[in-house]
Amino acid sequence: MDLSRQLKNAISSGTLLFGQNQTVANCVSGKARMVILAANCPPDFISDIKSRHPDVPLHQVQMVNRELGAACAKPFAVSSICVVDAGDSDLLTLRPNVE
C-alpha cells in the first residue's frame, strides 16, 4: 500500500485530524476509528492511548514525524493522525501493529 497516496486520498475525501491533542480528544469522544503514529512518536503518548483506549487500533508507520507531515502535505511535523472517516482511502485496512 502506498501510504502517502492513501493519506492524500483520505484528506481529500474523508476526515483526518492531526496532532496528539486532537487524537486524544477524538479517542475520548469515540469518533476515532484508527490512529496512525509516526516512528518517533513519544512512547509515553503511545502507551497512554493504548491503555486508555484499547478499542482504537494503533498503526505505527516507518516515517518520522517530519516525513509524515510531508506525506500529508502539511508544512509541519505530524506525530499522530486520527482517522475519523477514511473516505475513499484504504487506511482502515492497515493492521494494528502497536503491542
Side-chain angles (χ1 to χ4, degrees), residues 17 22-32 53 55-56 82 84:
L17 302 172
Q22 289 189 352
T23 297
V24 169
N26 281 276
C27 285
V28 168
S29 70
K31 294 179 184 176
H53 309 286
D55 55 326
V56 178
C82 180
V84 175

Side-chain angles (χ1 to χ4, degrees), residues 37-41 61-71 77-79:
L37 304 162
N40 62 343
C41 188
V61 297
Q62 298 297 317
M63 293 183 263
V64 296
N65 56 3
R66 292 217 177 265
E67 294 170 336
L68 192 55
V78 173
S79 63

Side-chain angles (χ1 to χ4, degrees), residues 6-88:
Q6 294 299 325
L7 286 169
K8 289 176 185 167
N9 192 0
I11 290 168
S12 65
S13 65
T15 306
L16 298 185
L17 302 172
F18 305 98
Q20 295 179 8
N21 292 335
Q22 289 189 352
T23 297
V24 169
N26 281 276
C27 285
V28 168
S29 70
K31 294 179 184 176
R33 296 186 61 200
M34 173 175 263
V35 174
I36 299 172
L37 304 162
N40 62 343
C41 188
D44 57 332
F45 175 74
I46 296 171
S47 61
D48 184 52
I49 288 286
K50 190 168 51 172
S51 64
R52 291 183 188 212
H53 309 286
D55 55 326
V56 178
L58 303 177
H59 182 83
Q60 193 163 21
V61 297
Q62 298 297 317
M63 293 183 263
V64 296
N65 56 3
R66 292 217 177 265
E67 294 170 336
L68 192 55
C72 296
K74 299 294 178 190
F76 48 84
V78 173
S79 63
S80 68
I81 300 171
C82 180
V83 179
V84 175
D85 176 16
D88 296 330

